[in-house]
């Protein structure tokens, strides 16, 4: 079995098991990733809700999902399962990440500079499949080709 296919299958199957649990508690699925780090496989489940996810929420979902994963037992490798909130600094990848982040401050790193700059911070004003538009501090808007974006994530606000 192709490793990419296996990874995608595990993520998709986990998502199928996770969605009814999240629906029951009124939580939202942000992402599921099956990833190898330093020789260990991790099945990471990122969840969210209005007002933010608590540790208790994560434990609740972790217990319910853990039971389903034990019953189904479809992952061949040994792995560590985690349930957490998306957290600050997590890259925006999916349509729902962008939707949720409209109006929020984002940090963008570019492959090729625009006006001699490769990093921008601004409020996410708009997006489509090809571009991302941010509003800069001076209230001007900058439209960036998605192909030129190396990284886009919520900005840390300290």
């Amino acid at each position: 079995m192709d490793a990419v296919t296996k990874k995608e299958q595990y993520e998709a199957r986990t998502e199928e098991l996770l969605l009814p649990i999240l629906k029951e508690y009124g939580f939202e699925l942000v992402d599921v990733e099956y990833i190898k780090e330093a020789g260990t496989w991790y099945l990471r489940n990122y969840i969210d809700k209005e007002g933010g996810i608590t540790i208790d929420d994560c434990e609740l979902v972790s217990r319910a999902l853990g039971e389903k994963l034990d019953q189904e037992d479809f992952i061949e490798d040994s792995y560590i399962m985690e349930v957490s909130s998306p957290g600050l600094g997590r890259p925006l990848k999916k349509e729902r990440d962008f939707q949720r982040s409209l109006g929020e401050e984002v940090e963008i790193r570019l492959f090729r500079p625009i006006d001699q700059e490769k990093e921008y911070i601004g409020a996410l004003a708009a997006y489509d499949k090809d571009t991302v538009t941010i509003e800069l501090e001076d209230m001007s808007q900058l439209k960036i080709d998605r192909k030129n974006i190396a990284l886009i994530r919520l900005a840390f606000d300290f």
Side-chain angles (χ1 to χ4, degrees):
M1 196 190 310
D2 182 5
V4 173
T5 312
K6 184 168 81 168
K7 173 184 166 20
E8 288 169 353
Q9 281 180 341
Y10 290 169
E11 289 171 349
R13 186 69 192 114
T14 301
E15 204 168 299
E16 284 171 23
L17 296 175
L18 188 53
L19 284 170
I21 297 167
L22 298 181
K23 190 174 182 189
E24 183 183 336
Y25 296 113
F27 301 157
E28 176 189 353
L29 176 64
V30 175
D31 201 8
V32 172
E33 62 181 11
Y34 187 68
I35 191 165
K36 194 171 201 172
E37 289 176 5
T40 304
W41 282 102
Y42 290 89
L43 180 62
R44 295 205 171 110
N45 304 275
Y46 297 100
I47 61 173
D48 210 353
K49 72 173 187 208
E50 198 70 42
I53 284 288
T54 67
I55 288 176
D56 290 343
D57 296 335
C58 291
E59 281 177 16
L60 202 67
V61 171
S62 182
R63 249 193 317 276
L65 180 59
E67 283 175 22
K68 291 216 183 282
L69 288 169
D70 289 345
Q71 287 165 5
E72 298 266 334
D73 197 24
F74 59 90
I75 298 178
E76 298 162 19
D77 320 287
S78 63
Y79 64 94
I80 296 169
M81 193 259 294
E82 298 174 344
V83 175
S84 66
S85 71
L88 284 168
R90 191 169 175 284
L92 307 184
K93 292 193 259 185
K94 298 186 171 169
E95 176 78 13
R96 56 185 174 236
D97 297 333
F98 284 93
Q99 186 59 48
R100 186 186 312 102
S101 302
L102 277 171
E104 300 285 336
E105 189 105 332
V106 294
E107 175 186 334
I108 297 179
R109 291 203 192 123
L110 304 174
F111 290 117
R112 288 179 309 285
I114 297 174
D115 301 328
Q116 285 82 52
E117 290 291 326
K118 280 185 99 169
E119 289 193 19
Y120 284 92
I121 291 184
L124 182 60
Y127 68 92
D128 59 35
K129 65 181 182 50
D130 300 315
T131 64
V132 169
T133 305
I134 58 171
E135 188 171 286
L136 303 172
E137 254 180 48
D138 65 5
M139 303 315 260
S140 68
Q141 291 202 336
L142 177 66
K143 190 177 225 173
I144 303 168
D145 257 340
R146 277 200 178 183
K147 288 192 294 275
N148 191 22
I149 297 176
L151 172 73
I152 179 169
R153 64 183 180 187
L154 286 178
F156 289 103
D157 200 7
F158 295 111

